[in-house]
Amino acid sequence: MDSLSLSLIVLLAGSLLTLWLLESRRRRLARRLAYQQRRFDNVFNGVGLSLFLFDLSALPPFLQRNGIADQKALDDWLTGNPLRQHELVQQVQIIDANPLALQLFGASSVADLQRLMQRDPDLRKTGARYQLILAVLEQRPLLELNTIVQRLDGAIRYVWMVMRLPARVSDYRAVPLSLSDITERRKAEKAIKERERFWASVVKAVPDVVFVRDVRNNQFSFSNRPLAEVLGYSEEEIARLPPNYRDDMLHPDDLEYMQANRNMLHTLVADQVLEWRVRWQHKTEGWHWFNLRARVLSRFSDGRVKQVIGVVRDVTQQTRDNERLEASEQRYRLLAENITDVIWSTDPHFQLDYISPSVVHQLGYQPEQLIREGFVSVVADERYRLFMADLLRELAPQVKDAKASLRLRQEGMRRQITFDCIRADGHKCPIEMRISLMWGPLGEFLGLLGIARDISEQRRTENRLRMAATVFENTTGAIVVTDPAGYIVQVNANFTQITGYSAEDVIDQQPDMFIVDEYSPGFYRNLQQTLLKEGRWEGEVWYRRRSGEAFPSWSGINAVYDHEGDLVSYVSFFVDVSERKASEARIESLAYYDPLTGLPNRTLFQDRINSALQLAARRQEWVVVLFMDLDRFKPINDTLGHAAGDVMLKQVAQRLRQCVRESDTVARMGGDEFTLLLSGIRGREEAMSTSVHVAEKVLAALTPAFILQEREFFISASIGIALYPQDDQDAESLLKHADTAMYHAKDIGKNNFQFFQRDMNDRALERLALENDLRRALLDNAFTLHYQPQFDCLEGRLVGAEALLRWQHPQRGAVSPAVFVPIAEEIGLIGALGDWVLDTACRQLADWHAAGQKLPRLAINLSGRQFIEGGLVEQVAAALQRHAINPQWIELELTESILLDDVVGTMRTLRRLNALGVSIAVDDFGTGYSSLSYLKDFPIDTLKIDRSFIAPIDQDGADARLVEAIIALGRSLRLRVIAEGVETQAQLQRLCELDCDEVQGFYLGHPLPAERFFAVALSGP
């Protein structure tokens, strides 16, 4: 064989050997792989955990494509793409799950798990899917999570999730994840926590202090509440207390005792309870007693005490109750030994075994004697013996029977009898005996308990009470009897008649049920102190009837004491004084209040201003007094009647009340005068501003119309203001100053207010003197009439005269009518003065005609007061008749304002005057309303152009054109036109050019006395 063949054989043999070796290795690897697969399957399926294999390889590319690089970017993407969240979830694929995993979720296949994972598209930050994606995003090697999952059937399970991520992203195709079902453990933990919370709340709710104390370091390791809380301190106060506050607040006498018991805690043996009592200082209630109980909670390994558990209980009330119980027992012992009643008892066999020592005082027998012989030996009749025989016969079988005994105990059987006893001295005495049954704590019958009382005094008292009852029921007032505690025990029939309450309504109630609620505690304290000091009290009390109506009464209360000086009861009487109070109120109202407006009158105002000034002086305050008088009220009152005037005054009062504070006073001084008092003002500036404010409010309040008799009327007011202490110190002076300022307000045009100034007093005194002189002049006939001639403008002949009133004062000289006529109107003299002028002028005209001096016409001025007061037509007719005057010789002059004050009344009066035959002239035409309608409707004969238009007539200005228009108007209405105040030739010439009918003025002739009139007037202008 050649070498080539050998080489091929060797090569073939080598290849076969290699193949054999490779096959052998493959078989070993296959066996090893199968072993590892079986081992993996055993581990995957047999382990006690729910295992999953996830394919997360698609998740990182998805995150990268969507620009999600961190948690914030992930959260922003989820928020901005709510509809794409399912795409993100789809990148997480479950490729395998062991049976426990399928069982955990109630799934039958991995596909079910995949659908379950994708069922809810919303990713929650606390959820497992979100945390898994976040772990991949942050490439965390380990994810451990306690979370909640939902099964396919909707049930919730608690799981512990663990996932380990491979270091390389390429290994994300098979990522294991394990879930441990911890639902039962969570339930157990929850139950434990709930039990812990329950017992913690129980311990917390315990009112006592429960504590655990480390004995070695003397520190508290537990306490359900601080001791300071029990001592009344708040949480904030407790936080500020020092650590050793328990010792600081301990009673000084208990410090050593407390330390001794603390030391004894070290020596406690098993189950031994150490108990002691100490006192701690309460924040507000003084010293409190506390009971402490402690026992061993734990020990060190060497047996020494490590911790003790204890309870601190406040036993203050219990201690006090025990003390009261001991005191009560002592009192009962003393009571039984010292009471005047005889107390006795029997044993269960009804044999006497005790009689109190009081029997010696009551009957004169020794207790031992009666125990031996029984009460039968001392009774005076058979009633007691028969009573006791019947009672014992009834009780003997019942107290031995359980059911009957129970019934007796529940019903509380009691018997009572009254009989006569023979005292040891042989005298009879009436005895009242009460018998009850005694029972032991277990319900066993102990015997009879009896109380015997001498009722001799009671019988005498009953006789006295019968007599008192007769008086009680027949007295005219109400009587109420209360016990010492104030509870009503008896009332008489008149009480029911007065209050409407029956005896059943008030018995066992306190009197405050029918006393009004307006009395302060101080009232009752003073009443009680008076009763304690004097034994009686009397005064006015307001009660309330059953209907709710309150009424005043005059009441008296008497304390009733027994012969030993102990308070027995209170007896109260009262009578209804409603009628008397109402009468007093009516009298007071008449005395202090204006009956028309209900405002305080002058008397009450004086009282209030004096009180206000005294208070202001003490407090250094200011007081304001406003004096107000209504403007033009008298014409309305006189025209419409007093009833309409009263209505207006009431409305004015209502409006004034609304202009001031509740503390201020509005008063009616009389007539149409009102005053306002403003007090409690600090400083001059405030006084000035308040005065102005109130005065302006008053003027504004009076501006709206007043409706009287279905018509509108307007008034205003003049107000004077005086200030304390600036203007004066006393009430009278302040009122006088305010009145003076008010008159000054009237003088300057009315409908305004003025502050008092010192120079006003001088003017006021001057005015007052002038008023007095004016009254005297009227009485003394000191007035005269002067006559100013009136001429025909074209022919210059005398056509008439105007009668003008003049007053020559003996000291003042000639007083202008412009000064005294307004005063006469204000003080009510204008009517009398007008009558005098009318009569004097008519008499003078008659004298002239009788002397052959014929005056064609005499003009006489009328005032508005003459129209308002009424009777003007009758006065004119009487004067004409009295002096035999032809009515055509008389012309009556009145102003435009008179015509329009009361159109209907004035129209009626003018028509009646016109019917008499006198002519009517309108004076000062052009200065008032100048209404064309009244020129058409009123029976007017003459227009007198006011002198204010005549003075500038020669200047050919607006006044000249007005005069020309008035003259033209008069001619068109067929009225005579006369111009007054002609003082120059130019004025006369211009009037003649304008075709004025008549003229009058100083240029033509001054007003002259009657004796000189014709001598001058007939000489011509």
Side-chain angles (χ1 to χ4, degrees), residues 156-185:
I156 299 298
R157 307 297 291 180
Y158 292 91
V159 297
W160 176 255
M161 185 176 80
V162 178
M163 182 182 72
R164 297 183 181 277
L165 283 175
R168 295 178 300 178
V169 177
S170 59
D171 294 336
Y172 278 16
R173 292 188 178 276
V175 178
L177 183 145
S178 67
L179 293 180
S180 300
D181 188 350
I182 59 172
T183 302
E184 297 304 322
R185 190 181 75 186

Coordinates of all heavy atoms in Angstrom, one line a residue, residues 156-185:
I156 N -59.2 40.7 44.9 CA -57.9 41.4 45.1 C -57.0 40.5 46.0 O -57.5 39.9 47.0 CB -58.2 42.7 45.9 CG1 -59.1 43.6 45.0 CG2 -56.9 43.4 46.2 CD1 -58.5 44.0 43.7
R157 N -55.7 40.5 45.6 CA -54.7 39.7 46.4 C -53.5 40.6 46.7 O -53.2 41.5 45.8 CB -54.2 38.5 45.6 CG -55.3 37.5 45.1 CD -56.1 36.9 46.2 NE -55.3 36.0 47.0 CZ -55.7 35.3 48.0 NH1 -57.0 35.5 48.4 NH2 -55.0 34.4 48.7
Y158 N -52.9 40.5 47.9 CA -51.7 41.2 48.2 C -50.5 40.3 47.9 O -50.5 39.1 48.3 CB -51.7 41.5 49.7 CG -52.8 42.5 50.1 CD1 -54.0 42.1 50.5 CD2 -52.5 43.9 50.1 CE1 -55.0 43.0 50.9 CE2 -53.4 44.8 50.5 CZ -54.7 44.4 50.9 OH -55.6 45.3 51.2
V159 N -49.5 40.8 47.2 CA -48.4 40.0 46.8 C -47.1 40.8 47.0 O -47.1 42.0 47.1 CB -48.5 39.7 45.3 CG1 -49.7 38.8 45.0 CG2 -48.5 41.0 44.4
W160 N -46.0 40.0 47.1 CA -44.6 40.5 47.2 C -44.0 40.2 45.9 O -43.8 39.0 45.6 CB -43.9 39.9 48.4 CG -42.5 40.4 48.5 CD1 -41.4 39.7 48.2 CD2 -42.0 41.7 48.9 NE1 -40.2 40.4 48.3 CE2 -40.6 41.7 48.8 CE3 -42.6 42.8 49.3 CZ2 -39.8 42.8 49.1 CZ3 -41.9 43.9 49.6 CH2 -40.5 43.9 49.5
M161 N -43.6 41.2 45.1 CA -43.1 41.0 43.8 C -41.6 41.2 43.8 O -41.1 42.2 44.3 CB -43.7 42.0 42.8 CG -43.3 41.8 41.3 SD -44.3 42.8 40.2 CE -43.4 44.4 40.4
V162 N -40.8 40.3 43.1 CA -39.4 40.4 43.0 C -39.0 40.2 41.5 O -39.4 39.1 41.0 CB -38.6 39.4 43.9 CG1 -37.1 39.6 43.7 CG2 -39.0 39.7 45.4
M163 N -38.2 41.1 40.9 CA -37.8 40.9 39.6 C -36.3 41.3 39.5 O -36.0 42.4 40.0 CB -38.6 41.7 38.6 CG -38.2 41.5 37.1 SD -39.2 42.6 36.0 CE -38.5 44.2 36.4
R164 N -35.5 40.4 38.9 CA -34.1 40.7 38.7 C -33.9 41.0 37.2 O -34.1 40.1 36.4 CB -33.2 39.6 39.2 CG -33.3 39.4 40.7 CD -32.4 38.3 41.2 NE -32.5 38.1 42.6 CZ -31.9 38.8 43.5 NH1 -31.1 39.8 43.1 NH2 -32.1 38.6 44.8
L165 N -33.4 42.1 36.8 CA -33.1 42.5 35.4 C -31.7 42.1 35.1 O -30.7 42.3 35.8 CB -33.3 44.0 35.2 CG -34.7 44.5 35.1 CD1 -34.7 46.0 35.0 CD2 -35.4 43.9 33.9
P166 N -31.5 41.5 33.9 CA -30.1 41.1 33.4 C -29.3 42.4 33.2 O -29.9 43.5 33.0 CB -30.4 40.4 32.1 CG -31.8 40.0 32.2 CD -32.5 41.0 33.0
A167 N -28.1 42.2 33.3 CA -27.2 43.4 33.1 C -27.2 43.9 31.7 O -27.0 45.1 31.4 CB -25.7 43.0 33.5
R168 N -27.4 42.9 30.7 CA -27.4 43.3 29.3 C -28.8 43.3 28.8 O -29.6 42.4 29.1 CB -26.6 42.3 28.5 CG -25.1 42.3 28.8 CD -24.3 41.3 28.0 NE -24.8 39.9 28.3 CZ -24.4 38.8 27.6 NH1 -23.4 38.9 26.7 NH2 -24.9 37.6 27.9
V169 N -29.1 44.4 28.0 CA -30.4 44.5 27.4 C -30.8 43.4 26.5 O -31.9 43.0 26.3 CB -30.6 45.9 26.7 CG1 -31.9 46.0 26.1 CG2 -30.3 47.0 27.7
S170 N -29.7 42.8 25.9 CA -30.0 41.6 24.9 C -30.5 40.4 25.7 O -31.1 39.6 25.0 CB -28.6 41.3 24.3 OG -27.7 40.9 25.2
D171 N -30.4 40.4 27.0 CA -30.9 39.3 27.8 C -32.3 39.5 28.2 O -32.9 38.8 29.1 CB -30.0 39.0 29.0 CG -28.6 38.5 28.5 OD1 -28.5 37.9 27.4 OD2 -27.7 38.7 29.3
Y172 N -33.0 40.6 27.8 CA -34.3 41.0 28.3 C -35.4 40.1 27.7 O -36.6 40.2 28.0 CB -34.7 42.4 27.9 CG -34.1 43.5 28.9 CD1 -33.1 43.1 29.8 CD2 -34.5 44.8 28.9 CE1 -32.6 44.0 30.6 CE2 -34.0 45.7 29.8 CZ -33.0 45.3 30.6 OH -32.5 46.3 31.5
R173 N -35.0 39.1 26.8 CA -36.1 38.2 26.2 C -36.6 37.3 27.2 O -37.7 36.7 27.0 CB -35.5 37.5 25.0 CG -35.2 38.4 23.9 CD -34.8 37.7 22.6 NE -34.5 38.6 21.5 CZ -35.4 39.0 20.7 NH1 -36.7 38.7 20.9 NH2 -35.1 39.9 19.7
A174 N -35.9 37.0 28.3 CA -36.5 36.1 29.3 C -36.1 36.6 30.7 O -35.0 36.3 31.2 CB -35.9 34.7 29.1
V175 N -36.9 37.4 31.2 CA -36.7 38.0 32.5 C -37.6 37.3 33.6 O -38.8 37.4 33.4 CB -36.9 39.5 32.5 CG1 -36.7 40.1 33.9 CG2 -36.0 40.2 31.5
P176 N -37.0 36.7 34.6 CA -37.9 36.0 35.6 C -38.5 37.0 36.6 O -37.9 38.0 36.9 CB -37.0 35.1 36.3 CG -35.6 35.7 36.2 CD -35.6 36.5 34.8
L177 N -39.7 36.7 37.1 CA -40.4 37.6 38.1 C -41.1 36.6 39.0 O -41.8 35.7 38.5 CB -41.3 38.5 37.4 CG -42.1 39.5 38.3 CD1 -42.3 40.9 37.6 CD2 -43.5 39.0 38.7
S178 N -41.0 36.9 40.3 CA -41.7 36.0 41.2 C -42.7 36.8 42.1 O -42.5 38.0 42.4 CB -40.7 35.4 42.2 OG -40.1 36.4 43.0
L179 N -43.8 36.2 42.4 CA -44.9 36.8 43.2 C -45.1 35.9 44.4 O -45.4 34.7 44.2 CB -46.2 37.0 42.5 CG -46.2 38.0 41.3 CD1 -47.5 38.1 40.7 CD2 -45.8 39.4 41.8
S180 N -45.1 36.4 45.6 CA -45.5 35.7 46.8 C -46.8 36.2 47.3 O -47.0 37.4 47.6 CB -44.4 35.9 47.9 OG -43.2 35.4 47.4
D181 N -47.8 35.3 47.4 CA -49.1 35.7 47.9 C -49.0 35.9 49.4 O -48.9 35.0 50.2 CB -50.1 34.6 47.5 CG -51.5 35.0 47.8 OD1 -51.7 36.1 48.5 OD2 -52.5 34.3 47.4
I182 N -49.2 37.2 49.8 CA -49.1 37.5 51.2 C -50.5 38.0 51.7 O -50.5 38.7 52.7 CB -48.0 38.6 51.4 CG1 -48.4 39.9 50.6 CG2 -46.6 38.1 51.1 CD1 -47.4 41.1 50.9
T183 N -51.5 37.6 51.0 CA -52.8 38.1 51.4 C -53.2 37.7 52.8 O -53.6 38.5 53.7 CB -53.9 37.6 50.4 OG1 -53.5 38.0 49.1 CG2 -55.3 38.1 50.8
E184 N -53.0 36.4 53.1 CA -53.3 35.9 54.5 C -52.5 36.6 55.6 O -52.9 36.9 56.6 CB -53.2 34.4 54.6 CG -54.1 33.6 53.6 CD -55.6 34.0 53.9 OE1 -55.9 34.2 55.1 OE2 -56.4 34.2 52.9
R185 N -51.2 36.8 55.2 CA -50.3 37.5 56.2 C -50.7 38.9 56.4 O -50.7 39.4 57.5 CB -48.9 37.4 55.6 CG -47.8 37.9 56.7 CD -46.4 37.9 56.1 NE -46.3 39.0 55.2 CZ -45.2 39.2 54.4 NH1 -44.2 38.3 54.4 NH2 -45.1 40.3 53.6

